[in-house]
Amino acid sequence: MIIQKQQYTNLHADLQRTVPEHQEKFTFRKLMRTQNIGTILILVLLFAACSLTTETFFKFNNIMNITRQVSMVGIMACGVTFVIISGSLDLSIGQIYMLTSIVACKLTHVNILLAILLPIAAGALCGLLNGVLVGYFRLHPLITTMGTQSIFLALGYALSEGHPIRAAENEFFRQIGQGNILGCIPVPSLIFALIVAFTWFLLKKTTYGRKVYLVGGNPEAARFSGFSFVKVTMINYIFAGALAGLSGIVVCSRMMSGVPSMGTGYEFQVMTAVILGGVSFSGGKGSIFGTLIGMLIVGVLNNSYIQWGIPSSVQYFFQGVIFIIAVVLDTMHERKLGLVS
Amino acid sequence: MKKKQKLLLWLSDNSIFFLLSIILVLAALVGKSFYTKANLMLLLKETSLYGIIAIGITFVLLLGFTDMSIGPQVSMFSVIAILASQRFGLASMVLSCVLLSIISGLLNGLLVSKVHVVPFITTLGTMTVFKGIALILAGGKPIASSLLTVYDIYTYELLGVPISIVVFLIFLIIAAYLLYFTKFGLQVYACGGNLESAKAAGINTDRITIICYLLSAFCASCAGAFYASRMGVGSPVLGDNYTLPVIASCVIGGIRSTGGKGNFVKTFCGVLFMQIIYNLMAMSGFDAYTQYFVIGVVILGVLFLDKYTEKVQKINLAQE
């Protein structure tokens, strides 16, 4: 009996000894398991490197400038996050952005209220086309949006007749892209922040957000649970289109003009931010927070090139290398955790 | 199977041939100078360059993967071709491209097969890297060759046929042979149809993937060398606008977007169809952007047909 008790206490002591170690290990593991830990580290390192090596980086004005620069692509990226989490893809987003900015530009000559409302509706309409094709007819998302991309491009060129057009001068409209609130916070950054907060709420705190994850993660299970793939996909595309419309208005106001060749390549920038943010292309994984981090990495990186005086040709190379490293790390991390086969 | 369904299936399977014949008839009605020797030669030359890229990417598409880096690879190799010809002479032009294409193909192939990164994302990343390399090598601007013999490659004629068309035809025959008469070809179709069951059947899917990306890079490098010799200029932004049209023409040609279906005759017809559209529209004075619209609509139409075929086949399978 005594021996048994002795053994028990020994065991207990053993346990007590091992637990703290175990816990310590666990917290480290937990930290490594935190989503986006890799990208957060990259962002912090980049930020530190820029601040230490240049005098001009860590200034309030420069930081605000970065947020203003990322806000246009950032707003789009929030919408595309929904589309990709639900397992689809949108390559046409850059051309929707261009098309809506030209619509906004044209409408400034008619009525300023229309110039703010109609582009969002136009973007949503473009999204509806994508949504019907991919959601209702179940066409392949990559090639479908490749097709609609060239349709939107053609529409944009037809509207602008192939050359950059000027927006009508209007102080209120100009403020959307170029103004500051309280004299220091750029209006586009504020819009971006609001959109981030709204989409974060939508994705994390509402049933709709859960549906988006479920449809992307396991479409079969979603179907048996009574969630419609068609509905979720269509709403996502419309939402992404409307947000592209909003960012079209911002960019139109920022440049006070509409340029029909502007949209090309933007879909890749958006995609870069979203993928850096850890959204998985197999669907069902990702967050708005991650997209925000991805967007900030792109913004800080772009700014650092200018700070360090790196020529644009080398920028492409670095951007690609960082992108590949992030994706490879992410994939290996996922495989280690057994999230993908 | 109902007779009507059978007919529709057959129609949608061979849609590209109907599209092609419609556009050829239309060409006779619309463009007065379409059926002239000069224009047809121009058309074929242009088709052969696009076609060389398309042959390579067809292998990748047949696996159900994508290669978004194909355009920047073309521009990178056009720059490399010019640089090599400057330094080591004409012979090194093609040689350096072909040798270096092994590296770019391996990079894509290894990332997709061994590291298991999704193909679309991998090639999105390598796309930017290749574009960067092209820009760095060229110093951010198109570089012209001081060697006048550079033009010789493109203008060389074999028995009165331009060399680019000859090379394209040779590639087409080799690729068709690989796909239809070798074990490799069957394995490509098997992997494209269902990667998991191909793996279960003992096919080394990683090897097949790497070889397909190597072939894609190889074809891109040849096209890059030809583009360089056509203008005597290597441009780092030349290929940016090639990726989507080339993939689109393969899809129009009837390569199923999820892989496992399609062949080279159809790819060739798809490329030819796109080029005729470009040619006709330029000839009849449409602005460049109507082309984009038409091509967008055609892509969507082909996708619809593809989906319909799949659906009917599934229903019939279930009934049997």
Side-chain angles (χ1 to χ4, degrees), chain B residues 300-318:
Chain B
L300 294 183
V302 170
L303 276 178
F304 268 111
L305 270 179
D306 200 34
K307 199 76 205 172
Y308 175 79
T309 326
E310 215 176 307
K311 206 167 147 191
V312 172
Q313 276 170 348
K314 242 182 213 163
I315 290 170
N316 285 320
L317 267 179

Side-chain angles (χ1 to χ4, degrees), chain A residues 136-338:
Chain A
Y136 186 75
F137 291 109
R138 305 271 176 126
L139 302 183
H140 194 270
L142 176 69
I143 306 195
T144 307
T145 50
M146 214 187 263
T148 54
Q149 179 195 46
S150 60
I151 292 177
F152 299 147
L153 179 69
L155 288 179
Y157 270 99
L159 263 183
S160 66
E161 285 153 10
H163 51 77
I165 50 173
R166 284 174 74 90
E169 199 53 56
N170 180 301
E171 199 40 47
F172 175 71
F173 191 71
R174 187 184 272 277
Q175 288 299 318
I176 298 174
Q178 302 177 16
N180 287 312
I181 284 191
L182 304 173
C184 58
I185 300 166
V187 178
S189 316
L190 195 70
I191 299 175
F192 180 37
L194 286 177
I195 292 294
V196 166
F198 175 65
T199 46
W200 175 82
F201 178 78
L202 204 60
L203 203 56
K204 286 284 176 210
K205 300 288 171 193
T206 63
T207 42
Y208 181 70
R210 295 285 102 194
K211 281 186 197 174
V212 171
Y213 278 107
L214 190 57
V215 164
N218 194 339
E220 281 297 298
R223 198 161 60 87
F224 287 124
S225 317
F227 299 149
S228 158
F229 168 84
V230 181
K231 220 161 103 188
V232 170
T233 308
M234 269 165 73
I235 293 174
N236 281 344
Y237 272 112
I238 293 170
F239 187 56
L243 284 185
L246 180 62
S247 83
I249 297 169
V250 173
V251 77
C252 173
S253 147
R254 196 168 168 221
M255 305 195 299
M256 286 314 261
S257 59
V259 186
S261 60
M262 180 186 73
T264 317
Y266 264 87
E267 62 275 7
F268 293 126
Q269 282 198 29
V270 170
M271 220 68 84
T272 307
V274 173
I275 292 163
L276 278 178
V279 176
S280 153
F281 259 68
S282 42
K285 193 180 146 266
S287 65
I288 293 293
F289 176 68
T291 302
L292 179 64
I293 299 288
M295 207 55 247
L296 287 177
I297 289 181
V298 173
V300 171
L301 214 55
N302 283 341
N303 194 272
S304 71
Y305 296 143
I306 300 164
Q307 302 280 350
W308 287 330
I310 296 175
S312 69
S313 48
V314 188
Q315 290 176 16
Y316 274 105
F317 181 73
F318 276 129
Q319 198 168 323
V321 169
I322 287 175
F323 181 84
I324 291 176
I325 290 173
V327 169
V328 166
L329 284 180
D330 191 47
T331 312
M332 278 167 37
H333 190 59
E334 263 183 47
R335 284 171 64 79
K336 217 173 185 178
L337 295 184

Side-chain angles (χ1 to χ4, degrees), chain B residues 49-59 219 246 249-250 264 267 271:
Chain B
L49 289 187
Y50 256 85
I52 290 173
I53 312 174
I55 285 173
I57 208 169
T58 300
F59 280 107
C219 290
V246 167
S249 49
C250 288
F264 282 109
T267 296
V271 176

Side-chain angles (χ1 to χ4, degrees), chain A residues 89 91 129 133 137-140 142-144 146-151 153-155 157-158 162 264 267-268 271-272 275 279 281-282 312-317 319-321 323-324 327-328 331-332 335 341, chain B residues 61 66 68 107 111 114-118 120-122 124-133 135-136 139-140 196 241 243-244 247-248 251 255 257-258 289-290 292-293 295-297 299-300 303-304 307:
Chain A
L89 190 66
L91 276 188
L129 177 65
L133 292 172
F137 291 109
R138 305 271 176 126
L139 302 183
H140 194 270
L142 176 69
I143 306 195
T144 307
M146 214 187 263
T148 54
Q149 179 195 46
S150 60
I151 292 177
L153 179 69
L155 288 179
Y157 270 99
T264 317
E267 62 275 7
F268 293 126
M271 220 68 84
T272 307
I275 292 163
V279 176
F281 259 68
S282 42
S312 69
S313 48
V314 188
Q315 290 176 16
Y316 274 105
F317 181 73
Q319 198 168 323
V321 169
F323 181 84
I324 291 176
V327 169
V328 166
T331 312
M332 278 167 37
R335 284 171 64 79
S341 57
Chain B
L61 289 174
T66 39
M68 306 302 284
L107 181 65
L111 279 174
K114 296 291 180 197
V115 193
H116 298 271
V117 183
V118 179
F120 175 71
I121 304 179
T122 308
L124 207 62
T126 52
M127 177 187 89
T128 324
V129 172
F130 294 145
K131 193 174 177 181
I133 293 175
L135 281 165
I136 293 169
E196 284 306 309
N241 296 326
T243 315
L244 297 190
I247 295 179
V251 172
I255 306 250
S257 42
T258 47
Y289 308 108
T290 324
Y292 285 115
F293 189 80
I295 282 159
V297 172
I299 292 174
L300 294 183
L303 276 178
F304 268 111
K307 199 76 205 172

